[in-house]
Amino acid sequence: MRIAVCGGPYGNPHALQAFVDDARARDCERLFCLGDLGGFGADVDALWPILTDNGIECVAGNYDVAIARGDTDCGCGYRDAKDNEYAQLIYDHTLATTSRDFAAWMGTLPTERRETIDGVDVHMVHGSTLALNDFWWESLPEKQHRLRAEASGADVVLCTHSGLPWQRRIGDTLAVNVGVLGKPANDGRREVWYAILDLTDGHITAELIPLAYDWQAQARSMRAAGLPEIFAETIETGWWTTCLEILPPRERSRGRYHLYRSTLPSGFRPADDGWGKSTPRVPEDDRPVVPLFDTPYFPSRLWIYSNFHCNLACDYCAVASSPKAAPRTLTIDAFRALVDEAVQAGFTELYLTGGEPFLHPDVIALLDYASAELPTVVMTNAMLLRGRRADGLADLAGRKLTVQTSLDGATAATHDAHRGDGSWQRTMDGIRHLIDLGLPPRVALTETPENTHEIPDAAQLLAGLGLPTDHFAVRPLLRRGFAETGVEIGEDSSIPELTVTADGLHWHPAGADLATSPDLHLAPAGTPLATGQQLVTERFFAARLTDGTLPRPVHCAI
């Protein structure tokens, strides 16, 4: 037998009728609905004749139980105050506009259904086999999946409630979340989802079906009823704009929006990165949700390591660069493709670093291409700015290009103790050369117990060369790479700064060496930046949800 199973019509009669028509056209013999008749759309009463006229067999969801009893809230299972605010708004509308006859009919529905169909033991629930409003997410640990499957023991368990369709084998049980009809699956598609199951002589196959319907009519009805614009926007775009906090990290990372706007000012103040406080771009609209990317939690600057070999062997290099390091050099074609991809992915700044970028044979061509597309910062020890590789650097003085170097003391003895004999003088010569080229550099000092007392003198030294005061910043020593002491930095203690190397994508530029920082490696080479943004978002929320707080950045002059 072929059956069709839907979840959550959510006051969307247009989608429910399309489900009936599509399922019949696909030769489904029985139609089932797993509950939550109200919950997002405006016209719940319009569902009743469609359900009864077409013989749709229903179980009750938490919404239907609440409406039938006249409860004060939907019992949806949300834990966040903002999620509950939006849930309460639509519940109040549904309770007020649903006829009591229809509500009484909902009260007659069972909260689960179990029967044998063509030799297959089928268990239909709303949330899960554990609770009516349990969110059975695809990303749950395997142990949690087994717990829910074993609580039933059926050949197939069908559920909904979470709104996101999936299917998987759990031991001998096939679990299928059939999705919902009432709103898209936070996937950027206007279609909604249901499931078709073929049950024959004890064998099961299931298919998740994207369903087109008259979404324009549904959006019009919601606006006509005075529901908030963001509800209609979800219908029109396929992206959720409410009830985000309930989403686990993996599911949340797949959407367009990840945070309530109110989280930004109340839960976080970005650290001063040493170059003055920056103000990340905030979307100029009244939408209550924002993406994680391009907020203080996930800056829109992309780091690219052109190479890892270096003319110096600094004893606290966070990425273990040295003359002996494997070069891991990006080709010019690969670099240009990354810049193009960065523009497409919405990055607004580019940081080119190493190793020592001026050991790259095509460094000027890299900077030429990057600075023509995005504001670009190149990190260098300023010791290799003359000669063939640096030819053409002066021609970039009018571009959106900033050169940044490091000076770790006001005296040669202090600086050279960590960076090598003679490096202070050569760096000072490089700084003067950049000023002469019309590229006055930014200068960062890595603070150590040995140089703390020289910070005022270093600032005065640079000011004497004519550098503005805001071109000097102090950054902490980070315990990564060669550094055995310093500030600990990890996913749970830093905001992400997506970084690309020849080895792939990384969480932060200070953890971009795969050998010494495998924990901050996100994905292998060739992974698209858009996928990297999603991986960063997932890991960010995994770190956040561990203790309910948000990661804080290290105070780092980048």
Side-chain angles (χ1 to χ4, degrees), residues 366-424:
L366 303 185
L367 295 175
D368 178 37
Y369 194 83
S371 62
E373 298 296 326
L374 290 171
T376 299
V377 178
V378 58
M379 320 284 276
T380 174
N381 55 42
M383 297 169 63
L384 302 175
L385 303 181
R386 291 178 172 85
R388 179 181 55 81
R389 283 198 179 98
D391 283 349
L393 181 59
D395 297 333
L396 302 180
R399 293 287 188 84
K400 298 174 289 187
L401 177 66
T402 300
V403 181
Q404 180 173 320
T405 191
S406 300
L407 189 73
D408 288 346
T411 64
T414 304
H415 176 97
D416 292 357
H418 292 288
R419 294 185 176 267
D421 291 344
S423 59
W424 183 87

Side-chain angles (χ1 to χ4, degrees), residues 31-203:
L31 309 185
F32 296 89
C33 175
L34 301 184
D36 274 5
L37 304 179
F40 199 75
D43 192 359
V44 180
D45 273 359
L47 302 176
W48 197 10
I50 301 174
L51 294 169
T52 55
D53 292 350
N54 293 282
I56 300 176
E57 302 170 68
C58 296
V59 300
N62 55 278
Y63 226 90
D64 314 314
V65 170
I67 292 294
R69 294 191 307 217
D71 291 350
T72 57
D73 65 69
C74 63
C76 295
Y78 297 127
R79 297 182 296 273
D80 176 75
K82 199 69 175 177
D83 282 356
N84 276 312
E85 178 184 330
Y86 288 115
Q88 191 66 47
L89 187 154
I90 194 64
Y91 179 77
D92 291 345
H93 168 85
T94 304
L95 184 62
T97 58
T98 300
S99 70
R100 292 320 298 166
D101 287 344
F102 190 22
W105 183 85
M106 294 179 196
T108 67
L109 299 176
T111 55
E112 61 182 323
R113 185 186 190 100
R114 189 162 185 171
E115 64 178 284
T116 300
I117 304 175
D118 273 4
V120 177
D121 182 5
V122 180
H123 193 179
M124 300 183 192
V125 297
H126 178 71
S128 82
T129 54
L130 301 182
L132 185 64
N133 63 356
D134 180 39
F135 291 91
W136 195 345
W137 303 108
E138 184 179 13
S139 67
L140 286 178
E142 188 61 30
K143 180 179 180 181
Q144 292 297 317
H145 282 294
R146 289 199 307 271
L147 179 66
R148 287 158 176 77
E150 291 169 0
S152 168
D155 297 321
V156 58
V157 178
L158 305 173
C159 66
T160 178
H161 190 55
S162 74
L164 302 178
W166 53 267
Q167 63 171 307
R168 66 184 290 162
R169 279 277 173 189
I170 307 168
D172 294 329
T173 298
L174 175 65
V176 183
N177 190 310
V178 303
V180 296
L181 298 179
K183 66 177 182 179
N186 200 23
D187 55 7
R189 301 177 60 163
R190 297 185 181 100
E191 294 92 343
V192 293
W193 295 83
Y194 75 97
I196 288 179
L197 284 87
D198 287 295
L199 314 170
T200 307
D201 296 331
H203 298 288

